[in-house]
Amino acid sequence: MNRITVGKNFSEEVYLDSKDSKYYIEVEENASLKVYHYAVDKSFEVEIHLKGENASVEYFYSTLNRKDNYFRIKVFHDVSNTKSNLVNHGVNILDKKLNFVVDGIIPKDVVGCVCSQDNKIMNLCEGKSSIAPNLLIDSHDNIANHSAYIGNFKEDVLFYLKSRGISQKIATKMLTLGFLVHDLENEEEIKDFLKYIDELS
Amino acid sequence: MLVIKDLKVKVSDTDKVILDNFNLSINEGEVHVIMGPNGTGKSTLAKTILGHYKFEVECGDIEFYGKKLNSLSTDERAKLGIFLAMQDPTEIEGVSNSEFLRTALGEVSGSKVNLYEFITAIEKAYDDVSLNKDMLHRFVNKGFSGGEKKKNEVLQLKMLKPKLIILDELDSGLDVDSLKIVCKNINDYLKENKKASVLIITHYPRILDYLKPDYVHIMKNGNIKQTGDLSLASFVEKNGYDGINAVEERDLNE
Ligand SMILES: Nc1ncnc2c1ncn2[C@@H]1O[C@H](COP(=O)(O)OP(=O)(O)OP(=O)(O)O)[C@@H](O)[C@H]1O
Ligand SMILES: [Mg+2]
């Protein structure tokens, strides 16, 4: 298990190297954490605790998947006025399973939190995928929202790209890149992942 | 360059026939106009020329410079030099205009795009169609106004240099000044590329003040009912499409 703690008043941005399959993350009072988690063909369990007031986390999980894999992430809003934003995107290349289980937990008496999730899986073939978004919220006065989409890139979008001479293969690569990579400024950090996208066919 | 013979097209996976017995020939350097009531199949024609997935050719042929398009994929048709400026351009999340155009240019030209030349050309194109260069870094059509989307289509055609340009209601969504600007761009393009041809789909003769057509076709119920010159467009403007049968009679009486 890999532990990450962001101390009081700190603001951090991390790239997970995916060497471990379990991560335990704590964010303390007035601290913020941004996580970029790029993965290829692997399963993970992530637990996040927002432990002090005004703690916040943004988590970007991006995966390219060929085998059966899952991503399980839980965010605990342990105290009031904490914020989480999870963006979990997967591209399921073959006909295997990719499952996301995403929990946002706000216990009783905790208020003023924002808990949002955006879960999307693109099945390029006949892949079997599932998304289980769970918002376990015991009190009012919190803002929670989630969106979930399982499907493929839209036909209209592919048609538009192809109508400009771009082949299906390159169009799919471009859309995969746009869908999974949120931070091209740090190309060096994710060059292996970009290589995988480039090798897609 | 483009020959469409006895084309019958239906909506994929249904029995709904939209184009039936459709014929049209366009030669190099010609400007054609198709007008016709809503839902008559004009956009279907434009999309079918590019092999849109929603439509299926039941019979008939589409040929471009003698090459049958029927079994070619959409990108192969585009690579032959056919460009469709769409009635309602699609928004593409996650793909920037610059990445999109650079990739398209590489695919269409079949060679690696020189970044410096690309940037010089595209910045000029943005100025030419009076679009803000910041749009280069925005996602394709995402959040663009109706008119900006149309200008962005014209910008793309300037970069991709097609042989056949299909304009599906380019004029809808453009204000008077913008319409003048994009038409000037198209006219300049036609001057530089004398063999290039245009197929204009429109409801309003106004665009024809700027883009002078050689032929005006009136389409109704899935095929062309009448072909004439600019005066036919004016006739329709005055009398509507119900008058088209009357035109046929008028011609007979002449
Ligand atoms: N996917 C579809 N399923 C069923 N009917 C369709 C489909 N796409 C188009 N149509 C129908 O085909 C007919 C022709 O549509 P098309 O868009 O080609 O018309 P148009 O001549 O371009 O009209 P407008 O002037 O309003 O743009 C319409 O009746 C339309 O409803
Ligand atoms: Mg139309």
Side-chain angles (χ1 to χ4, degrees), chain B residues 94-207:
Chain B
V95 178
S96 73
N97 265 312
S98 74
E99 186 198 351
F100 163 61
L101 264 172
R102 194 147 68 95
T103 308
L105 202 55
E107 288 270 85
V108 166
S109 67
S111 57
K112 214 167 154 46
V113 178
N114 175 300
L115 192 57
Y116 176 77
E117 285 169 15
F118 171 73
I119 290 180
T120 312
I122 199 161
E123 289 198 338
K124 180 173 183 307
Y126 269 90
D127 283 340
D128 287 347
V129 298
S130 84
L131 271 181
N132 192 322
K133 287 195 259 294
D134 293 346
M135 289 182 142
L136 252 179
H137 308 291
R138 280 170 63 182
F139 293 153
V140 178
N141 293 322
K142 182 92 192 165
F144 288 21
S145 74
E148 285 168 347
K149 282 183 183 168
K150 295 302 176 85
K151 285 183 173 181
N152 196 40
E153 298 287 281
V154 174
L155 178 128
Q156 290 171 42
L157 85 81
K158 283 166 68 79
M159 295 295 292
L160 298 177
K161 307 213 179 330
K163 299 187 176 88
L164 173 65
I165 300 167
I166 305 170
L167 305 172
D168 192 356
E169 296 197 25
L170 180 70
D171 45 354
S172 76
L174 284 175
D175 66 53
V176 245
D177 297 326
S178 298
L179 181 64
K180 263 188 218 166
I181 291 169
V182 300
C183 289
K184 179 182 182 307
N185 276 276
I186 293 166
N187 278 323
D188 288 349
Y189 182 82
L190 294 178
K191 256 180 239 152
E192 279 166 37
N193 302 274
K194 293 250 176 327
K195 290 181 174 176
S197 303
V198 189
L199 175 59
I200 302 169
I201 294 169
T202 185
H203 290 292
Y204 307 105
R206 194 180 52 159
I207 189 174

Side-chain angles (χ1 to χ4, degrees), chain A residues 154-168 170-171 173-179 181 184, chain B residues 50 52-53 74-75 78-79 83-84 86 90-92 94-95 99-100 103-104 107-108 140-141 153 156:
Chain A
K154 298 239 162 33
E155 288 276 17
D156 279 342
V157 167
L158 282 164
F159 177 74
Y160 193 84
L161 294 173
K162 289 194 264 186
S163 78
R164 292 346 183 203
I166 299 171
S167 66
Q168 171 86 25
I170 291 184
K173 261 190 222 177
M174 289 176 87
L175 293 171
T176 299
L177 187 78
F179 178 61
V181 178
L184 264 178
Chain B
L50 271 144
H52 195 277
Y53 61 94
T74 296
D75 58 296
K79 283 180 184 120
F83 182 94
L84 169 60
M86 295 188 200
T90 313
E91 300 191 356
I92 305 182
V95 178
E99 186 198 351
F100 163 61
T103 308
E107 288 270 85
V108 166
V140 178
N141 293 322
E153 298 287 281
Q156 290 171 42

Side-chain angles (χ1 to χ4, degrees), chain B residues 42-43 87 168-169:
Chain B
K42 304 180 298 297
S43 295
Q87 181 170 356
D168 192 356
E169 296 197 25

Side-chain angles (χ1 to χ4, degrees), chain B residues 29-44:
Chain B
E30 291 179 348
V31 176
H32 289 242
V33 179
I34 291 185
M35 302 178 82
N38 295 129
T40 212
K42 304 180 298 297
S43 295
T44 300

